[in-house]
Amino acid sequence: MKIAVTGGSGFIGRRLIAYWQQRGHEMITISRSSQAVVQGARTVTWAELQDAPEKLEGLDAIVNLAGESINQRWTAAAKQRILESRIAAAHQVAQLVELLDKKPKVVVNASGMSIYGTSESATFDERSPHHTMDFLSSVVDKWEQAADQIKGPRLVKVRVGLVLDGKEGAFPKMAFPYKLGVGGPIGSGRQWLSWIHIEDMVRLIDFCIQNEEISGPVNATAPNPVTNKQFGAQLAQALHRPNLFPLPAFVMKLAFGELSTLLLEGQKVLPHVLLQHGFSFTYRSVDKALADIVNK
């Protein structure tokens, strides 16, 4: 296949491109800068495509992973960047698809599980209603509305959970206190953590492209979410470290501001669509996922 990826320099994007390049697919990254080189792919800039969209004629699929990182203090300016970067990327993909004579068969647009809001008691799947009462849920709702303007190809909106990777993303920061021997539950410890191993994250995007019956929202989470307390216990076991030092909520709020809601509040999200279509998770349980990551 011939596949274009936006946000290809991010840790999911790089792993995805490497996965497909090893399988013989032609990979292209779409970037704001020609200097954003990703091994295994050629780079085309958005500026080039404004003048010559035909550079991407013949695409089989587009994967849109672009967006400002949410792992930063949420100042007013940061919030604006987080929102605008996602909406702008979706609009650019919609405009590109409109200009192509031969449309790609499928567009996979990244989204987030935050669209369901937070709860300690509810369970969410793709049929659950949207919640737009907090910053992240409202961002994801507007992000998906922007993606809905992509007309023609089959559209898959992958609602990403906490992606576990040993070197990048949130996991190294979560593991750091445990490595020092001072890890423990965060806040109440009852908040749900819907996670997915990076390898399954990459495989499910490929699965969504290959499976023509899949469209609309797809939860990119493992089938067995855990509470923060359970996650900490499994992480401590994998690292052979104690799990004795709880981190109070007020400390998180002082240190990270509104960003702390990512770890203090959670959602129990299930991948109903993937399971319904027969996707096989390599890492269904968090203990197996953490053991793999720590051993690598």
Side-chain angles (χ1 to χ4, degrees), residues 20-74:
W20 277 330
Q21 195 267 340
Q22 290 169 4
R23 283 154 181 78
H25 301 310
E26 179 184 352
M27 300 307 305
I28 303 163
T29 58
I30 310 176
S31 176
R32 287 174 294 178
S33 170
S34 59
Q35 305 303 312
V37 177
V38 179
Q39 185 175 358
R42 66 181 174 92
T43 301
V44 177
T45 67
W46 285 112
E48 290 176 300
L49 293 174
Q50 286 182 344
D51 298 325
E54 64 272 11
K55 286 178 176 284
L56 291 186
E57 285 291 351
L59 283 178
D60 294 289
I62 300 175
V63 179
N64 179 24
L65 302 173
E68 177 90 6
S69 172
I70 61 173
N71 294 318
Q72 57 180 302
R73 183 172 282 274
W74 292 348

Side-chain angles (χ1 to χ4, degrees), residues 23-236:
R23 283 154 181 78
H25 301 310
E26 179 184 352
M27 300 307 305
I28 303 163
T29 58
I30 310 176
S31 176
R32 287 174 294 178
S33 170
S34 59
Q35 305 303 312
V37 177
V38 179
Q39 185 175 358
R42 66 181 174 92
T43 301
V44 177
T45 67
W46 285 112
E48 290 176 300
L49 293 174
Q50 286 182 344
D51 298 325
E54 64 272 11
K55 286 178 176 284
L56 291 186
E57 285 291 351
L59 283 178
D60 294 289
I62 300 175
V63 179
N64 179 24
L65 302 173
E68 177 90 6
S69 172
I70 61 173
N71 294 318
Q72 57 180 302
R73 183 172 282 274
W74 292 348
T75 62
K79 284 183 173 183
Q80 196 68 16
R81 293 194 304 270
I82 288 168
L83 174 61
E84 290 182 352
S85 64
R86 285 157 173 75
I87 292 177
H91 283 164
Q92 285 177 308
V93 171
Q95 291 168 359
L96 172 61
V97 169
E98 186 177 357
L99 291 171
L100 293 175
D101 291 331
K102 182 184 177 184
K103 314 298 184 193
K105 294 180 180 179
V106 58
V107 172
V108 174
N109 197 87
S111 180
M113 65 179 180
S114 299
I115 200 166
Y116 303 115
T118 61
S119 176
E120 287 186 5
S121 57
T123 299
F124 305 102
D125 65 24
E126 292 87 351
R127 299 163 294 187
S128 300
H130 296 187
H131 171 92
T132 57
M133 299 299 290
D134 57 60
F135 169 63
L136 274 186
S137 61
S138 65
V139 165
V140 178
D141 185 64
K142 292 172 183 174
W143 194 6
E144 291 200 358
Q145 289 182 44
D148 287 335
Q149 302 308 307
I150 301 169
K151 304 298 183 182
R154 174 169 57 92
L155 176 63
V156 180
K157 293 176 282 190
V158 175
R159 294 173 174 170
V160 183
L162 175 69
V163 182
L164 300 181
D165 177 81
K167 296 182 179 179
E168 299 184 73
F171 176 77
K173 295 178 182 178
M174 297 172 73
F176 183 67
Y178 286 89
K179 291 181 178 180
L180 295 179
V182 293
I186 297 173
S188 71
R190 297 188 301 269
Q191 65 272 34
W192 285 97
L193 197 156
S194 297
W195 59 275
I196 187 166
H197 191 289
I198 182 63
E199 291 180 16
D200 282 333
M201 182 72 236
V202 167
R203 290 177 53 248
L204 76 83
I205 293 175
D206 179 68
F207 184 80
C208 288
I209 285 179
Q210 303 282 358
N211 194 321
E212 296 180 358
E213 295 180 355
I214 296 178
S215 64
V218 174
N219 290 336
T221 58
N224 294 298
V226 292
T227 64
N228 176 269
K229 185 176 181 179
Q230 291 168 334
F231 182 85
Q234 292 294 339
L235 177 56

